Amino acid sequence: MISQTAEYALRAMVFLAENPEGAHPVSRIAQHTQVPAGYLSKVLQNLVKAKLVVSQRGLKGGFRLGRPAAELSLLDIVNGVSPIERITACPLGLAHHSSRLCALHHRLDEAIGSFEGCFRTTTLADLLEGQGTFTPPA
Amino acid sequence: MISQTAEYALRAMVFLAENPEGAHPVSRIAQHTQVPAGYLSKVLQNLVKAKLVVSQRGLKGGFRLGRPAAELSLLDIVNGVSPIERITACPLGLAHHSSRLCALHHRLDEAIGSFEGCFRTTTLADLLEGQGTFTPPA
DNA sequence: TGGAATTTGGACATCAAGATCTGATTCTCG
DNA sequence: CGAGAATCAGATCTTGATGTCCAAATTCCA
């Protein structure tokens, strides 16, 4: 449904939002989010390029959020690493096919839009303040 | 967003719903849906296993819908070839992580559910009767 | 009645892309 | 200068997508 890369990016961003003081090296983020460190490093680089996190090298370096958690939607994050693609044009050749396939792709795009909407309307801050609402299974 | 396989399956099913008389060999379906024939053959085999289409070998053989179009939802089709996976349990280890990751996955599953809902509430028949509603771009 | 033509059913082989790990390089703080 | 960290370039592994071939079933016709 959503790429592994996007899942990892979301976990890392939630962790960074949870711990806004100071920078966190990839090893620490990997440990807390249970993401393979080698790969997470690459994912974080993409997030840096997308300006969603900022990085700092050297001793006491690491990663931190590039913007306040309230201004970072889940959609920003997902699109930063593996963008959700809307269906804008009919994937088949144009006019010569029946219009039912167009109807199909119209519905398809509606579904994607609905999915995308959930991501657009939720920020990292929303997740933080919702703490306790969803109790983890024991 | 949705696997290539599922996209192909949907196209083929729409074609079969459009042409309910007689059976259609994979070559004809491939031609009308612009799906690579070799692969489509495999996809159709999966649809047969899922009881969504019935097949017949030999001369004049081919594929046809396994149920009336009004009783085939898009979700049935997608789940027949590459199921949509809901997030039922937290993908991380259990109790020792913060509950914010749980909140994340809760939202994630809501988004998937919303996507899934679009598919569940649309049948092949819905697509057919909607003909003309969405004009293909010229 | 039997064989040729057609078509599905399966088993492999190939190809591309995503996911993962490793090592060398560059930066920065103390 | 030296240790800790990001950065970057490859190498590897897995999986989904795709193509190819042959066997099994079915129809049709001589």
Side-chain angles (χ1 to χ4, degrees):
Chain A
M1 196 66 216
I2 153 181
S3 77
Q4 199 72 355
T5 302
E7 160 84 27
Y8 291 166
L10 288 168
R11 287 192 207 170
M13 293 296 278
V14 170
F15 175 80
L16 291 181
E18 244 181 316
N19 305 89
E21 340 73 32
H24 305 277
V26 59
S27 58
R28 185 185 309 153
I29 305 176
Q31 181 183 351
H32 282 82
T33 56
Q34 294 183 217
V35 173
Y39 192 59
L40 179 58
S41 163
K42 242 179 196 170
V43 175
L44 283 166
Q45 282 175 40
N46 288 332
L47 290 174
V48 169
K49 279 181 198 146
K51 304 277 178 62
L52 299 177
V53 308
V54 294
S55 61
Q56 188 180 6
R57 290 186 176 183
L59 252 179
K60 304 212 74 176
F63 299 88
R64 71 188 73 192
L65 288 189
R67 282 185 258 156
E71 297 172 21
L72 283 164
S73 74
L74 301 190
L75 185 59
D76 291 330
I77 299 167
V78 170
N79 279 343
V81 293
S82 61
I84 293 178
E85 293 172 21
R86 298 297 294 266
I87 302 178
T88 55
C90 177
L92 302 198
L94 302 146
H96 72 294
H97 68 69
S98 94
S99 61
R100 344 251 192 184
L101 285 177
C102 272
L104 167 66
H105 292 114
H106 182 83
R107 289 293 176 108
L108 235 43
D109 187 60
E110 279 179 354
I112 297 175
S114 148
F115 183 81
E116 194 185 56
C118 291
F119 278 69
R120 194 200 321 280
T121 56
T122 304
T123 69
L124 287 180
D126 293 335
L127 294 183
L128 293 209
E129 68 191 30
Q131 183 198 21
T133 303
F134 317 111
T135 330
Chain B
M1 197 66 217
I2 155 179
S3 77
Q4 199 72 356
T5 301
E7 160 82 28
Y8 291 166
L10 288 169
R11 287 192 207 171
M13 293 295 278
V14 170
F15 175 79
L16 291 181
E18 246 182 315
N19 306 89
E21 340 75 31
H24 304 277
V26 59
S27 57
R28 185 184 310 152
I29 306 176
Q31 181 183 352
H32 283 81
T33 56
Q34 292 184 220
V35 173
Y39 192 59
L40 180 58
S41 163
K42 208 175 215 178
V43 175
L44 284 167
Q45 281 177 41
N46 288 332
L47 291 173
V48 169
K49 279 180 197 148
K51 303 276 178 67
L52 300 177
V53 306
V54 294
S55 61
Q56 188 180 7
R57 291 186 177 183
L59 251 180
K60 303 212 70 175
F63 300 88
R64 71 188 75 193
L65 288 189
R67 281 186 259 157
E71 296 172 21
L72 283 164
S73 73
L74 301 190
L75 184 59
D76 291 331
I77 300 168
V78 170
N79 279 343
V81 293
S82 61
I84 293 179
E85 293 173 21
R86 298 296 296 263
I87 303 178
T88 55
C90 178
L92 302 197
L94 303 144
H96 72 294
H97 67 69
S98 92
S99 61
R100 345 252 191 183
L101 284 178
C102 273
L104 168 66
H105 291 114
H106 182 83
R107 289 294 176 109
L108 235 43
D109 187 60
E110 279 180 352
I112 297 175
S114 148
F115 183 81
E116 194 184 54
C118 291
F119 278 69
R120 195 199 321 279
T121 57
T122 304
T123 68
L124 288 180
D126 293 335
L127 294 183
L128 294 209
E129 66 191 30
Q131 182 198 20
T133 303
F134 317 113
T135 328

